[in-house]
Amino acid sequence: MSRPPAAVAEKTGKGVQTAALVIIASAAVIAAMSAASAVFAPVAFALFGIALLWPVQERLQRVLPRALALVACVVLLAAIFVVFGSLIAWAFGRVGRWAMTETSRFQALYDGAVLWLEGHGVAVTGVWTEHFNARWVFTAVQTLASRANSTLTFWVVVFVYVILGLLEVDNFRRRAAALSNPALRHLLLGGTRETALKLRRYMVVRTQMSLLTGVLVGGLAWLVGLDLAVEWGVIAFTLNYVPFIGPLVTTVFPTALALVQFSSWQSAALLFVALNAIQSVVGTYIEPRVSGSALSISPPLVLFAVFFWAFLWGLLGAVIGVPIAIALVTFCSQHPTSRWLADLFSTSGRDV
């Protein structure tokens, strides 16, 4: 028996209202996360760090007192911060100093490009010509230095959150296990366990691929005689943790240096092609076979996550975007009403 038109219209109206409320609520949440990035971004990174460090602390607690296990994890985290930060500062510092000593060559290259463009009927305004000089380079370096200070503050906050979070993991697990709602209990316990497992797999695979990319990029730079070959390898290693954006920077910047050093656009173009070939082989051929189905989220979702969170939180958002996507898809797979989202955004279509 068919429903009366009035009942159908009423049901449709309620569905439209529900969809509108969901859209409005989502927009409000996104706006809040963007406006309060100083609050939410450190929490996101801290949860990511807790997911990576908790298994280490749990194993240490079997042979050490809880306090000593926590101290060991804190020392490990601090060592990772120091080593990774030192690598970035060393490599980018060396490249920056090289660029500052070669500003005259950059200026000559730019002037030649301007003359070539104007000779082919493309007018370049004098404003750009006046501002592309050594003063512009020094201003850029000062801007990077100020951002480095704010970034240091950010990581100190993350460090504190991780310590507090590691202290609360056991209490959270006990409180979640004591919940009377079985669906909610399964969602929290199963979701956090599976998310932590997938994030650890993600970091293992990402580190392996970053090391491989760094070795290949550094080796290629050394073979072609490009200056700062080791530095470019280190930069490729560190930036490979940022999907899409990192590989783009790793190909564009060495190409620009090659254009200045070799004074030949043909050599720079060949290097650009070779660097892109490395990124393509590692990212689209080797990495999917190493990760297998463990991180089988669709490439469009990865791309969207990187640029969406970069839009909200800048470069830090680009770094944490994929782990957030992994966490959301994994939690969706834990409940029947949202499992279709996990199936939709999984490359395998099941068991995200």
Side-chain angles (χ1 to χ4, degrees):
M1 183 176 179
S2 61
R3 294 183 179 181
V8 175
E10 182 180 358
K11 184 177 180 181
T12 303
K14 290 182 178 179
V16 171
Q17 290 178 356
T18 302
L21 289 175
V22 170
I23 293 173
I24 294 172
S26 300
V29 170
I30 292 172
M33 296 187 73
S34 177
S37 60
V39 176
F40 291 111
V43 173
F45 274 89
L47 291 174
F48 185 38
I50 292 168
L52 299 179
L53 283 175
W54 170 246
V56 178
Q57 180 174 337
E58 191 174 32
R59 290 187 179 93
L60 289 176
Q61 286 180 175
R62 298 171 186 171
V63 295
L64 295 174
R66 183 185 179 190
L68 289 180
L70 176 61
V71 170
C73 286
V74 170
V75 172
L76 175 62
L77 180 61
I80 293 173
F81 274 119
V82 171
V83 171
F84 205 79
S86 299
L87 283 175
I88 295 175
W90 174 77
F92 279 96
R94 293 267 298 175
V95 172
R97 285 192 292 273
W98 185 94
M100 291 176 67
T101 59
E102 300 293 336
T103 51
S104 60
R105 298 175 68 178
F106 278 104
Q107 186 73 51
L109 179 65
Y110 178 77
D111 292 339
V114 170
L115 291 175
W116 185 88
L117 290 172
E118 291 180 348
H120 288 77
V122 179
V124 180
T125 58
V127 175
W128 289 104
T129 307
E130 292 175 1
H131 286 81
F132 192 86
N133 49 34
R135 189 190 314 168
W136 178 85
V137 175
F138 285 116
T139 302
V141 171
Q142 290 176 351
T143 302
L144 289 174
S146 63
R147 290 186 178 180
N149 290 331
S150 61
T151 302
L152 179 61
T153 303
F154 173 87
W155 289 116
V156 169
V157 175
V158 171
F159 190 81
V160 173
Y161 275 143
V162 169
I163 296 174
L164 296 177
L166 289 174
L167 289 171
E168 286 295 318
V169 171
D170 281 330
N171 294 331
F172 170 81
R173 189 161 52 184
R174 283 194 296 268
R175 289 193 292 265
L179 291 173
S180 58
N181 188 328
L184 181 59
R185 183 170 62 246
H186 172 74
L187 177 65
L188 291 176
L189 292 177
T192 53
R193 182 177 60 252
E194 290 299 319
T195 298
L197 178 62
K198 290 182 183 297
L199 290 179
R200 290 193 291 272
R201 291 179 181 175
Y202 168 78
M203 282 303 296
V204 169
V205 172
R206 179 57 59 184
T207 300
Q208 291 172 342
M209 295 304 101
S210 296
L211 284 171
L212 178 60
T213 302
V215 170
L216 292 176
V217 170
L220 176 63
W222 177 77
L223 284 175
V224 301
L226 187 67
D227 288 344
L228 308 174
V230 176
E231 288 80 352
W232 288 122
V234 171
I235 289 174
F237 163 71
T238 56
L239 291 185
N240 199 62
Y241 285 94
V242 187
F244 299 107
I245 298 176
L248 176 63
V249 174
T250 305
T251 55
V252 172
F253 280 15
T255 302
L257 185 148
L259 189 61
V260 172
Q261 179 181 338
F262 301 136
S263 300
S264 169
W265 68 266
Q266 293 92 342
S267 300
L270 288 175
L271 179 63
F272 182 78
V273 172
L275 290 172
N276 274 285
I278 290 174
Q279 300 289 353
S280 298
V281 170
V282 174
T284 63
Y285 182 79
I286 299 178
E287 184 170 349
R289 284 157 179 76
V290 173
S291 61
S293 61
L295 305 174
S296 54
I297 59 176
S298 63
L301 178 60
V302 173
L303 182 63
F304 173 79
V306 170
F307 287 100
F308 174 77
W309 290 102
F311 170 75
L312 290 184
W313 296 344
L315 182 60
L316 294 172
V319 175
I320 200 67
V322 176
I324 291 177
I326 293 172
L328 292 176
V329 172
T330 304
F331 270 94
C332 287
S333 68
Q334 300 296 313
H335 199 277
T337 60
S338 59
R339 191 167 294 144
W340 64 273
L341 283 170
D343 294 337
L344 180 65
F345 292 114
S346 170
T347 55
S348 62
R350 59 181 177 81
D351 192 24
V352 178

